Amino acid sequence: MRWALFLLVAAALWGAVPTATALADSPGTRTSEVSADAPGRVAFVGVPGLHWDDVDPERTPNLWRLAGQSDLGSVSVKTLGTVACPFDGWMTVSAGIRSAYGQTCGLPPAPEKLGEGAQVPGFAELLAKRDGGYVGTLGTAVHGAGQCTTAVGRGAALALADRDGKVDLYAENPAALTDWARCQVLAVDVDELITPYLVDGKLAKEPEAVPADARRAAVRAADAEVGAVLAKLPADTQVVLAGIGDHGSVPHLRVAMWKRAEATGAYLGTRSTRRDDIVILTDITPTVLTAAGIAIPPTIIGLPWQAGERASLEEAVAELRRSDLMGTSVRSTTGLFFTGFAITQVAFYAIAYFVLSRRRKATAVGVAALGIASIPVSTYLVNLLPWVRGDQPVALLVGGVIAIAVAIMGVAVAGPWRRSPLGPPAVVAGITGAVLVGDLLTGTTLQFNSLMGYTAVVGGRYYGLANIPFALLATAVLMTTAVAADHLVRVGRRRVAVGLVAGLGVAAMLLAGWPGIGSDFGGVIAFVPGIAVTALLVAGQRVSVVKFVGFCGLGGVAVSVIAVLDFQRPLAQQTHLGRFVGQVIEGTFLPMIFRKLGAMLNTMLSPNLMPIVIAGLAFLIFAIMRPGKISAGVVPLAFARAPMLRAGLIGALVSGVVGMLVNDSGTAVLSMVVALAVPLVLYAGINSAPEEAQVAGPLGDDAVDGAGDGAGDGAASGAANESDGHAGVVAGKA
């Protein structure tokens, strides 16, 4: 049976691979069911558009009082689009997986009365949609347990409707409901906050479509309705309250509260996010069912909320507000940051060409190359600083990144290692790799809410190794081990060099893919061929097409083994890797794969990423093929002086290309490999020139000619003294 699972997963993974939360878009087989110890009464209150900035003692006394009786967190309301429509949010609660209507961004349809209950119109149409096929799961589970459902408001009716679209007891508003105790499971739609943002029944496309005074009035109206609901609920009712949708074109983290007898004022988290204070929309469904003592159906993706560390009410609300501010600040800055980074990269290569082609002193170009290569890791290290607490968080964020990059560049060129052309590049690559490894081992607090990482506001990933950090980790590990291997080969310890590349590479790969640490599907597939190619070139062997294909297949096998091992664990301990095995078994993985494939293809035209790839690779290729005209021979000379450096570069590019094809971030993966590796190689080449050559020109005409000859025949001069030149052949073909 396990071998059959292994083969199924291997076949499914070959071709396109999803990211962490993308794997939760389709249901999978559960190895066990989760249920509460004893049945209870639960009310789910959905308040679309509510975030923590709205909640305070004066403006929202009812919500503030409820917060003081509850465990608190933020809910990431990501469904399937950039903005979570209230309609889609209620659908997702109903289905237990991310769902979307896909035609209108507004409120659910008004139910049609059927005696005391109601029928949601168009329910069959929702079930027929690709992203709506599991709607009705929550209501059906309640009915299957022999319980009835009570819904107040159109969204609540959608949330609790069974697969026939029916709820047992329905009222349009709290005042119209007379029996609040009949059913064990109740849902209430508080839409006062969201209706002012609707234009012709659709959500406005502006970030804030109503004036501040109008929003405050809507918040007060929502608070009053929540208060009316709380006053009518039976005393023993657990209350699950969440802001289940966005109110404009900018996504936010929304309010999550859970009032129950065990509530201690703790933060609310979930194993779905592996964050102590963040839950996701699909976690609401199993939380409601668990509170009611009802078994969770196997198609539901989310996991029940969990209480964590305790905090005072004021402290918790302030921290949750900062969490939203941090995520929205990063999201609003990311586009401009990558545009600026791309412009900087292109400008750098243009200046490098101008300086080097005119035989001018290139020391400044080399230092600038180190600075550019230091920027990516600085986007993570800046989260060690409290930039979000300042008056201008975006300015502090960007300024912090630049300051840290300059500091890393200074460390790289100031230490005793500066005497070696490979020393400063090894320092930058080593710092990048060490920071990312340390972040993986400590819960990825640096990647989270970072410019080159991910945010819960966007909701693409909540923990583990994202695609861009994977590209940087693979490049850093392969380039650093290649520099160390170059020294080992020179002293006649080639086998040790090969073992170093393979050993450290495999260790980093396991961290990247291991469940709960890196949890990166595509990263494992892409990392394996990069490690294998680098090790083979360090060993002085050729890399054939057959070997390359085999290495890619080995990557698929490696991630399949990891996923199947994860699948063997109890459901509560599984990550998305193990759950994906269940999706493969049930045959429900294809729609998600196609969505991710489409996302990957869309990145091919990214104006922020493609310039980095084109400029960096063009400079590298022409610097090898036409060294006298493009770079005065510095790149071929770097390979001649340090043949193993070329092996690391080729291995990193292999991981970048494969990673581009198997991850939904596509070009982002290869662009980050190029952004880190090529400047480091350029620095090594510039500083490989003799000092007397630096005075007359970067290398001198003789060096240029010699380097050009070495590149032309596929093996730089000097490489033959260290190996049989096979690495040079591959570099020439690259």
Side-chain angles (χ1 to χ4, degrees):
M1 176 61 180
R2 294 187 180 184
W3 280 105
L5 294 178
F6 173 83
L7 294 174
L8 280 170
V9 176
L13 290 174
W14 190 254
V17 179
T19 57
T21 55
L23 293 173
D25 287 345
S26 300
T29 300
R30 287 178 175 259
T31 57
S32 63
E33 293 182 340
V34 180
S35 62
D37 294 333
R41 189 184 305 277
V42 59
F44 169 59
V45 181
V47 191
L50 182 68
H51 55 63
W52 281 108
D53 285 341
D54 297 320
V55 181
D56 63 46
E58 291 77 26
R59 187 169 47 188
T60 58
N62 297 304
L63 286 168
W64 189 262
R65 189 179 309 110
L66 178 64
Q69 301 167 345
S70 305
D71 295 325
L72 310 176
S74 294
V75 56
S76 173
V77 295
K78 169 79 173 183
T79 53
L80 293 175
T82 302
V83 174
C85 301
F87 193 164
D88 298 345
W90 287 111
M91 282 182 65
T92 298
V93 173
S94 174
I97 69 170
R98 289 179 173 181
S99 304
Y101 182 58
Q103 294 181 4
T104 181
C105 189
L107 301 180
E112 300 171 351
K113 289 287 290 184
L114 288 176
E116 290 185 309
Q119 167 85 47
V120 177
F123 207 80
E125 179 186 351
L126 295 181
L127 290 171
K129 288 183 172 294
R130 183 187 69 179
D131 297 321
Y134 293 91
V135 174
T137 299
L138 174 56
T140 300
V142 175
H143 285 165
Q147 301 293 332
C148 64
T149 54
T150 299
V152 179
R154 57 175 68 189
L158 176 57
L160 292 185
D162 60 18
R163 299 284 287 181
D164 294 324
K166 297 178 181 179
V167 293
D168 301 306
L169 191 61
Y170 176 74
E172 292 183 358
N173 53 65
L177 182 64
T178 58
D179 190 349
W180 289 78
R182 181 187 304 182
C183 296
Q184 186 173 318
V185 178
L186 178 145
V188 181
D189 180 2
V190 178
D191 61 6
E192 277 77 6
L193 179 54
I194 203 70
T195 50
Y197 290 91
L198 300 177
V199 179
D200 296 328
K202 296 182 179 180
L203 200 63
K205 296 183 179 180
E206 293 80 12
E208 292 292 341
V210 301
D213 289 344
R215 179 172 179 86
R216 284 192 290 268
V219 169
R220 286 193 294 269
D223 178 74
E225 181 150 334
V226 169
V229 170
L230 296 176
K232 295 182 178 182
L233 291 173
D236 62 344
T237 305
Q238 292 192 43
V239 178
V240 176
L241 184 144
I244 63 168
D246 289 312
H247 65 269
S249 60
V250 176
H252 283 271
L253 296 177
R254 303 293 171 177
V255 170
M257 303 183 191
W258 192 4
K259 177 188 174 184
R260 51 185 178 147
E262 305 93 319
T264 60
Y267 287 109
L268 279 177
T270 172
R271 290 187 64 86
S272 297
T273 64
R274 296 182 181 265
R275 300 289 171 189
D276 294 334
D277 60 351
I278 296 175
V279 301
I280 58 178
L281 208 55
T282 54
D283 293 330
I284 294 174
T285 312
T287 301
V288 170
L289 291 172
T290 300
I294 298 173
I296 301 173
T299 59
I300 288 177
I301 289 299
L303 295 169
W305 295 353
Q306 296 176 332
E309 181 182 351
R310 296 180 62 180
S312 69
L313 177 57
E314 292 77 10
E315 177 187 355
V317 171
E319 185 62 31
L320 294 170
R321 288 172 179 170
R322 280 193 294 269
S323 181
D324 178 56
L325 177 61
M326 197 171 185
T328 53
S329 297
V330 168
R331 180 187 179 276
S332 66
T333 310
T334 298
L336 291 175
F337 175 80
F338 273 99
T339 298
F341 189 56
I343 292 173
T344 301
Q345 289 263 327
V346 173
F348 166 73
Y349 290 119
I351 294 171
Y353 165 75
F354 177 83
V355 172
L356 294 173
S357 64
R358 283 159 177 75
R359 308 295 191 269
R360 297 186 179 182
K361 191 172 182 179
T363 302
V365 173
V367 174
L370 291 179
I372 288 176
S374 300
I375 289 176
V377 69
S378 301
T379 65
Y380 309 123
L381 287 173
V382 73
N383 278 347
L384 294 174
L385 306 176
W387 59 265
V388 73
R389 297 176 181 268
D391 294 335
Q392 300 292 329
V394 171
L396 292 174
L397 170 62
V398 175
V401 169
I402 295 173
I404 293 172
V406 171
I408 293 174
M409 177 184 68
V411 170
V413 299
W417 45 76
R418 70 183 184 278
R419 299 185 182 91
S420 168
L422 298 182
V427 168
V428 174
I431 290 175
T432 301
V435 167
L436 289 171
V437 168
D439 192 40
L440 287 174
L441 294 174
T442 54
T444 57
T445 56
L446 299 183
Q447 290 180 60
F448 189 62
N449 286 331
S450 67
L451 292 169
M452 288 190 175
Y454 45 87
T455 74
V457 169
V458 174
R461 178 183 277 270
Y462 301 95
Y463 67 92
L465 189 68
N467 292 333
I468 285 178
F470 152 72
L472 297 171
L473 176 63
T475 304
V477 169
L478 294 176
M479 295 292 285
T480 304
T481 55
V483 170
D486 193 79
H487 172 74
L488 291 170
V489 169
R490 290 181 185 278
V491 297
R493 307 189 69 180
R494 185 180 297 274
R495 289 186 177 181
V496 176
V498 174
L500 178 70
V501 171
L504 292 183
V506 169
M509 180 271 292
L510 289 175
L511 283 178
W514 202 254
I517 300 179
S519 303
D520 186 9
F521 264 76
V524 174
I525 297 176
F527 212 156
V528 170
I531 298 167
V533 166
T534 302
L536 204 62
L537 294 176
V538 169
Q541 302 296 315
R542 294 182 181 274
V543 180
S544 65
V545 174
V546 173
K547 290 180 181 178
F548 173 73
V549 172
F551 295 151
C552 292
L554 185 60
V557 169
V559 77
S560 299
V561 170
I562 293 173
V564 171
L565 290 175
D566 191 30
F567 181 69
Q568 305 304 311
R569 301 193 299 174
L571 173 67
Q573 300 177 23
Q574 288 180 20
T575 68
H576 59 275
L577 287 82
R579 291 196 293 271
F580 184 58
V581 176
Q583 296 172 25
V584 173
I585 294 172
E586 294 211 347
T588 58
F589 65 93
L590 285 178
M592 175 267 297
I593 289 290
F594 289 136
R595 281 198 299 269
K596 297 306 161 184
L597 180 60
M600 181 271 288
L601 294 174
N602 286 336
T603 66
M604 297 300 182
L605 301 177
S606 171
N608 293 330
L609 300 172
M610 282 307 297
I612 298 176
V613 175
I614 294 172
L617 288 182
F619 186 91
L620 178 64
I621 292 171
F622 283 102
I624 294 173
M625 302 305 296
R626 297 290 185 269
K629 294 182 178 180
I630 301 299
S631 66
V634 296
V635 174
L637 184 60
F639 294 157
R641 297 289 177 86
M644 300 306 107
L645 180 65
R646 176 170 43 198
L649 174 63
I650 294 172
L653 291 175
V654 165
S655 286
V657 172
V658 176
M660 179 181 67
L661 297 177
V662 301
N663 282 297
D664 58 358
S665 295
T667 308
V669 177
L670 182 57
S671 69
M672 290 303 106
V673 171
V674 172
L676 178 59
V678 176
L680 296 183
V681 170
L682 184 58
Y683 177 92
I686 289 173
N687 289 272
S688 292
E691 290 186 6
E692 60 272 16
Q694 287 280 355
V695 176
L699 296 177
D701 292 339
D702 293 340
V704 172
D705 293 339
D709 292 341
D713 64 10
S717 60
N721 295 330
E722 302 296 338
S723 68
D724 59 4
H726 297 321
V729 174
V730 177
K733 291 181 179 179

mmCIF file of all heavy atoms in Angstrom, residues 432-446 473 511:
data_model
loop_
_atom_site.group_PDB
_atom_site.id
_atom_site.type_symbol
_atom_site.label_atom_id
_atom_site.label_comp_id
_atom_site.label_asym_id
_atom_site.label_seq_id
_atom_site.Cartn_x
_atom_site.Cartn_y
_atom_site.Cartn_z
ATOM 1 N N THR A 432 23.966 34.729 4.067
ATOM 2 C CA THR A 432 22.633 34.463 3.510
ATOM 3 C C THR A 432 22.157 33.071 3.891
ATOM 4 O O THR A 432 21.030 32.884 4.369
ATOM 5 C CB THR A 432 22.653 34.611 1.979
ATOM 6 O OG1 THR A 432 23.070 35.945 1.639
ATOM 7 C CG2 THR A 432 21.280 34.340 1.389
ATOM 8 N N GLY A 433 23.009 32.076 3.693
ATOM 9 C CA GLY A 433 22.633 30.707 4.028
ATOM 10 C C GLY A 433 22.406 30.511 5.509
ATOM 11 O O GLY A 433 21.433 29.862 5.931
ATOM 12 N N ALA A 434 23.286 31.078 6.346
ATOM 13 C CA ALA A 434 23.169 30.904 7.793
ATOM 14 C C ALA A 434 21.887 31.546 8.325
ATOM 15 O O ALA A 434 21.208 30.982 9.193
ATOM 16 C CB ALA A 434 24.393 31.504 8.489
ATOM 17 N N VAL A 435 21.547 32.732 7.823
ATOM 18 C CA VAL A 435 20.325 33.408 8.277
ATOM 19 C C VAL A 435 19.098 32.583 7.925
ATOM 20 O O VAL A 435 18.188 32.398 8.755
ATOM 21 C CB VAL A 435 20.233 34.816 7.655
ATOM 22 C CG1 VAL A 435 18.837 35.403 7.850
ATOM 23 C CG2 VAL A 435 21.280 35.736 8.271
ATOM 24 N N LEU A 436 19.042 32.054 6.714
ATOM 25 C CA LEU A 436 17.868 31.290 6.298
ATOM 26 C C LEU A 436 17.775 29.959 7.037
ATOM 27 O O LEU A 436 16.677 29.530 7.419
ATOM 28 C CB LEU A 436 17.900 31.069 4.787
ATOM 29 C CG LEU A 436 17.626 32.329 3.964
ATOM 30 C CD1 LEU A 436 17.899 32.088 2.490
ATOM 31 C CD2 LEU A 436 16.193 32.798 4.160
ATOM 32 N N VAL A 437 18.895 29.295 7.250
ATOM 33 C CA VAL A 437 18.873 28.051 8.023
ATOM 34 C C VAL A 437 18.439 28.329 9.459
ATOM 35 O O VAL A 437 17.595 27.617 10.028
ATOM 36 C CB VAL A 437 20.251 27.364 7.994
ATOM 37 C CG1 VAL A 437 20.318 26.245 9.028
ATOM 38 C CG2 VAL A 437 20.527 26.798 6.605
ATOM 39 N N GLY A 438 19.011 29.365 10.060
ATOM 40 C CA GLY A 438 18.612 29.715 11.413
ATOM 41 C C GLY A 438 17.138 30.074 11.500
ATOM 42 O O GLY A 438 16.455 29.711 12.471
ATOM 43 N N ASP A 439 16.627 30.752 10.483
ATOM 44 C CA ASP A 439 15.212 31.107 10.470
ATOM 45 C C ASP A 439 14.332 29.868 10.379
ATOM 46 O O ASP A 439 13.292 29.778 11.042
ATOM 47 C CB ASP A 439 14.938 32.045 9.288
ATOM 48 C CG ASP A 439 13.565 32.682 9.362
ATOM 49 O OD1 ASP A 439 13.132 33.063 10.460
ATOM 50 O OD2 ASP A 439 12.910 32.792 8.308
ATOM 51 N N LEU A 440 14.731 28.896 9.564
ATOM 52 C CA LEU A 440 13.967 27.655 9.456
ATOM 53 C C LEU A 440 13.921 26.909 10.788
ATOM 54 O O LEU A 440 12.893 26.324 11.151
ATOM 55 C CB LEU A 440 14.575 26.753 8.377
ATOM 56 C CG LEU A 440 14.361 27.173 6.926
ATOM 57 C CD1 LEU A 440 15.161 26.262 5.991
ATOM 58 C CD2 LEU A 440 12.888 27.132 6.553
ATOM 59 N N LEU A 441 15.014 26.939 11.514
ATOM 60 C CA LEU A 441 15.091 26.198 12.767
ATOM 61 C C LEU A 441 14.395 26.910 13.925
ATOM 62 O O LEU A 441 14.202 26.311 14.986
ATOM 63 C CB LEU A 441 16.557 25.940 13.128
ATOM 64 C CG LEU A 441 17.322 25.001 12.173
ATOM 65 C CD1 LEU A 441 18.787 24.937 12.559
ATOM 66 C CD2 LEU A 441 16.700 23.616 12.163
ATOM 67 N N THR A 442 14.014 28.171 13.723
ATOM 68 C CA THR A 442 13.397 28.939 14.806
ATOM 69 C C THR A 442 11.989 29.411 14.447
ATOM 70 O O THR A 442 11.488 30.365 15.050
ATOM 71 C CB THR A 442 14.267 30.151 15.173
ATOM 72 O OG1 THR A 442 14.528 30.933 13.993
ATOM 73 C CG2 THR A 442 15.585 29.710 15.777
ATOM 74 N N GLY A 443 11.335 28.761 13.472
ATOM 75 C CA GLY A 443 9.941 29.080 13.196
ATOM 76 C C GLY A 443 9.697 30.098 12.115
ATOM 77 O O GLY A 443 8.592 30.633 12.001
ATOM 78 N N THR A 444 10.700 30.408 11.306
ATOM 79 C CA THR A 444 10.591 31.334 10.162
ATOM 80 C C THR A 444 9.958 32.668 10.559
ATOM 81 O O THR A 444 9.067 33.181 9.886
ATOM 82 C CB THR A 444 9.814 30.700 8.986
ATOM 83 O OG1 THR A 444 8.503 30.288 9.414
ATOM 84 C CG2 THR A 444 10.549 29.518 8.416
ATOM 85 N N THR A 445 10.447 33.250 11.634
ATOM 86 C CA THR A 445 9.959 34.573 12.041
ATOM 87 C C THR A 445 10.546 35.690 11.184
ATOM 88 O O THR A 445 9.991 36.800 11.159
ATOM 89 C CB THR A 445 10.313 34.839 13.505
ATOM 90 O OG1 THR A 445 11.727 34.694 13.686
ATOM 91 C CG2 THR A 445 9.596 33.852 14.421
ATOM 92 N N LEU A 446 11.662 35.442 10.498
ATOM 93 C CA LEU A 446 12.270 36.468 9.661
ATOM 94 C C LEU A 446 11.652 36.505 8.265
ATOM 95 O O LEU A 446 11.475 37.580 7.697
ATOM 96 C CB LEU A 446 13.784 36.244 9.555
ATOM 97 C CG LEU A 446 14.564 36.295 10.872
ATOM 98 C CD1 LEU A 446 16.054 36.121 10.615
ATOM 99 C CD2 LEU A 446 14.303 37.604 11.609
ATOM 100 N N LEU A 473 18.487 30.316 -0.505
ATOM 101 C CA LEU A 473 19.138 29.273 0.296
ATOM 102 C C LEU A 473 19.932 28.324 -0.592
ATOM 103 O O LEU A 473 21.093 28.007 -0.293
ATOM 104 C CB LEU A 473 18.088 28.498 1.083
ATOM 105 C CG LEU A 473 18.611 27.300 1.891
ATOM 106 C CD1 LEU A 473 19.575 27.768 2.970
ATOM 107 C CD2 LEU A 473 17.454 26.510 2.506
ATOM 108 N N LEU A 511 16.159 20.274 5.382
ATOM 109 C CA LEU A 511 15.533 21.361 6.136
ATOM 110 C C LEU A 511 14.477 22.064 5.292
ATOM 111 O O LEU A 511 13.408 22.428 5.777
ATOM 112 C CB LEU A 511 16.591 22.375 6.579
ATOM 113 C CG LEU A 511 17.481 21.998 7.762
ATOM 114 C CD1 LEU A 511 18.497 23.099 8.012
ATOM 115 C CD2 LEU A 511 16.641 21.767 9.011
#
